[in-house]
Amino acid sequence: MAESRITPRAQDFAAWYQDVVLEGDMAEPAEIVKGCMVIKPNGYAVWEALQREFDNRFKETGHQNVYFPLLIPQSFLQKEAEHVEGFSPELAVVTIAGGKELEEPYVIRPTSETIIGHFFARWIQSWRDLPVLINQWANVVRWELRTRMFLRTSEFLWQEGHTAHSSHEEAFEEVLRILDIYAEVAESVMAMPVIKGMKTAGEKFAGALRSYSIEAMMQNGLALQAGTSHDLGQNFGRAFDVKFQTNEGKLDYVWQTSWGVSTRLIGGLIMTHSDDKGLVLPPRVAPWKAVLVPIYRKDEERAAVLEAAGKIAAELKIKLDDREGQTPGAKFFHWERRGVPVVMELGPRDLASGNVVLKRRDTGAKEVVPQSEAGARLEATLASIQQNLYGTAKARLKENCVLAESIEQIEEILTPVTAEKGGGKFVLAHLKDDPRCEERLKEFKATIRCIPMVDEWGGGGKCLITGEAVPQRVVVAKAY
RNA sequence: CGGGGCGUAGCGCAGCCUGGUAGCGCACCUGCCUUGGGCGCAGGGGGUCGUGUGUUCAAAUCACACCGCCCCGACCA
C-alpha cells in the first residue's frame, strides 16, 4: 500500500539522500558515464531558479556574463605552481582530436582562472581598463574518485566569476561582496542558513591568497561548503603577465578574484529541508509553487470539478494535475515526493461549499479556505513555508554548534559521526590556522571548515594544539 | 585507487550453489469499475540476463577480464 521506498533518515542518511534525489525526480546517475549524472527537469528547474537569483545579483553589482572555451592548453595550468599541483590529479585531458594526436594536449577545464588570465593580459593595459567584472555559467570537469549526485560529480554546472582590480583593497571588497551575495541567496532564497568564514591555508583554493566560503549544516550535522570566493592576490596576474599602468605611470600586476557556486547547492538544499516522505523545496526555488488535484466520482462531477479547477489553476498560475486514471491519493504522493510546497484539492464537497483545500508540504497541515481567498491564502502559505523552513534549519544549526575546550573533546564529539549515521556537529574551538592542527584533526576525519567572519562564540583563547594565542574560535566539523 | 556489496523487463527482486534456452510484484497498454492519501477485476505488451572472452552438445547459471552503481577508506566544489 502506501509504502514509501525512501529509506528513513535515521536508518541511513546517505541512502535516504539518494532515494530523495531519485524519487523526487531530480537526477539520476548517468550509468554509462562514470561519475556523472543526468539532471532531470525537476532538478534542472531548481538550478534555473538559482541561476536567476544569482545572475540578477551579479548584474546588479556590475558583472557581465561571458563564455570561455571548455578546452585549455595543458601548459596554462602549469603557469601557476600551486594551481597545477592542486588540480593535476583530477584533470581530464584531450590528447587526440580530428583523428590526430595533438601537439599540446588540452585539459577540460576544472576551472577557468588560467585561460581567463591569458585573456585578461590581452584586454588590460591601463588602470582605466579596470575593474574587469565578468562571470560565466559553465560546466567543469574534475575527475573524482567518489561521487554523489549533486554533491560531487565528475562534471558539474556552476558559475565562475572572475574579476581584475587595480588594488588589493578593491579586490578584497569584491571577494566579500560576492560572499555576501552567496550567503543572502542561500538564506533568503534557499532557506539554508550558512556561516561565512575564511578557509584555512590548507583548505584554500589552489593558487589563491585567501579563500572564503559559506558553510551550511546538513540534517546529519555534516558541513557542506556551499560557495567560495577567492582573493587571488597577484598570483595569476604574475603567472599570466596581466600588467597595467597605474595613474602614476607605473606598471603593476592586477589584483584578481574568483568565486563560484555550483549545482552542489541543490544537494545542500535537499539535505537541509527534505524529510522521510521525500523532497521538500522552499517555495522560492520550487518549479511548481502549488499543484491542484481535482477530485470526482461520477462523470457529472468530473466535468464540473475540472471546469472549476481549471479556472482556479489558471487564476493562481499553478499546475492542474488533470491526469486520467490516477486516483487523487496517488497524485498526492506523487507531488509530495517531488517537494511541491502546496498541494490543493478541489472536489464535489468544495464545489458545493465554495471552498478549496490547501495542504502544505513542510508541516502537512491542511486548511480549507473560500475559493475567493485562495490566491491570498496561497501566497501567505508559501511565505509561511519559506519562513518555517529557514527557521527550522537555523534552529538546527544553532543547536548543533557546540563549544569544545580540548582536542580530545572534539574527537569525542565527532568520532561517532558518519555520513550515514549522522550526529554531526559544528564544534567551535580555539585552533590556529596551522598544518599541525589540521594534521591532528585529520586523525578523526574532521577539518577546520572556516574561521567565522562574525565571531558569535566568545572571542580569543589559546590554540588547543600549538598553545599560541588565537583571536577566536574556528568551526571544526566533518564535511562532504 | 584499495576493501565490501550489487548488476536478470521501466522499477524492486527470485532463479545461479546442483548448466537444459527466464519468472514474480509494481509500473505500462485495452476494457469495465473506481476516485477526499498509493482502488479493483479481466485481458495484454515488453528482457542482447552489465560487456567481452573462455569451458561445454548446451551458459542468466561455471571461469577469467573489463565496465558501471552503492557503501567504507585515501583525494576533492
Side-chain angles (χ1 to χ4, degrees), chain A residues 19-31:
Chain A
D19 290 346
V20 171
V21 171
L22 293 171
E23 292 296 314
D25 214 17
M26 299 287 276
E28 63 183 61
E31 89 274 20

Side-chain angles (χ1 to χ4, degrees), chain A residues 116 183 189 198:
Chain A
I116 289 178
V189 176
M198 188 176 83

Side-chain angles (χ1 to χ4, degrees), chain A residues 222-270:
Chain A
L222 264 69
L224 184 79
Q225 178 175 309
T228 49
S229 185
H230 311 293
D231 178 356
L232 301 178
Q234 294 178 305
N235 292 348
F236 286 89
R238 270 191 293 273
F240 287 88
D241 203 33
V242 192
K243 279 189 284 213
F244 71 102
Q245 199 164 20
T246 67
N247 56 4
E248 287 131 15
K250 294 183 200 151
L251 279 181
D252 196 6
Y253 292 111
V254 295
W255 299 85
Q256 287 178 245
T257 79
S258 69
W259 27 274
V261 292
S262 71
T263 38
R264 168 179 259 201
L265 284 175
I266 296 171
L269 188 74
I270 293 166

Side-chain angles (χ1 to χ4, degrees), chain A residues 326-338:
Chain A
Q326 291 256 42
T327 61
K331 292 178 181 180
F332 296 146
F333 279 102
H334 177 79
W335 296 113
E336 183 171 76
R337 268 182 319 211
R338 293 168 68 105

Side-chain angles (χ1 to χ4, degrees), chain A residues 213-467:
Chain A
S213 73
I214 53 172
E215 300 284 329
M217 179 186 281
M218 304 296 100
Q219 288 184 60
N220 61 354
L222 264 69
L224 184 79
Q225 178 175 309
T228 49
S229 185
H230 311 293
D231 178 356
L232 301 178
Q234 294 178 305
N235 292 348
F236 286 89
R238 270 191 293 273
F240 287 88
D241 203 33
V242 192
K243 279 189 284 213
F244 71 102
Q245 199 164 20
T246 67
N247 56 4
E248 287 131 15
K250 294 183 200 151
L251 279 181
D252 196 6
Y253 292 111
V254 295
W255 299 85
Q256 287 178 245
T257 79
S258 69
W259 27 274
V261 292
S262 71
T263 38
R264 168 179 259 201
L265 284 175
I266 296 171
L269 188 74
I270 293 166
M271 287 196 294
T272 299
H273 303 302
S274 298
D275 60 24
D276 289 348
K277 294 173 183 167
L279 194 62
V280 175
L281 292 174
R284 292 191 65 180
V285 299
W288 292 108
K289 313 269 178 262
V291 173
L292 177 55
V293 175
I295 296 158
Y296 43 79
R297 293 166 198 274
K298 309 183 177 76
D299 275 354
E300 315 88 75
E301 286 176 355
R302 180 175 174 279
V305 168
L306 279 180
E307 195 197 336
K311 272 186 196 159
I312 292 173
E315 192 189 330
L316 302 186
K317 298 194 179 73
I318 65 174
K319 182 171 181 62
L320 172 65
D321 184 356
D322 56 359
R323 290 175 295 163
E324 294 292 337
Q326 291 256 42
T327 61
K331 292 178 181 180
F332 296 146
F333 279 102
H334 177 79
W335 296 113
E336 183 171 76
R337 268 182 319 211
R338 293 168 68 105
V340 175
V342 172
V343 173
M344 297 173 65
E345 307 172 20
L346 186 77
R349 289 208 301 258
D350 307 303
L351 235 45
S353 63
N355 290 327
V356 61
V357 180
L358 270 69
K359 183 174 183 189
R360 52 190 286 173
R361 178 63 181 88
D362 58 343
T363 62
K366 268 191 192 185
E367 186 185 14
V368 182
V369 304
Q371 285 166 27
S372 58
E373 294 170 24
R377 282 311 301 160
L378 176 59
E379 285 310 310
T381 303
L382 292 172
S384 167
I385 292 171
Q386 184 81 28
Q387 196 179 17
N388 178 47
L389 290 176
Y390 179 73
T392 302
K394 182 81 176 176
R396 183 170 50 235
L397 174 61
K398 263 207 146 82
E399 272 166 37
N400 290 296
C401 282
V402 299
L403 303 186
E405 307 305 337
S406 72
I407 194 77
E408 292 75 22
Q409 200 186 346
I410 303 176
E411 182 163 13
E412 196 184 312
I413 294 166
L414 292 180
T415 295
V417 174
T418 65
E420 322 84 73
K421 298 297 178 195
K425 306 272 184 205
F426 281 12
V427 183
L428 280 296
H430 290 111
L431 286 170
K432 189 168 179 253
D433 179 0
D434 186 297
R436 284 173 286 172
C437 298
E438 304 200 292
E439 276 304 309
R440 180 68 177 90
L441 294 175
K442 208 170 175 181
E443 288 173 22
F444 49 97
K445 285 151 202 126
T447 48
I448 298 177
R449 297 316 305 158
C450 71
I451 304 161
M453 308 196 63
V454 178
D455 179 16
E456 299 171 27
W457 297 279
K462 272 190 182 165
C463 173
L464 302 178
I465 299 293
T466 68

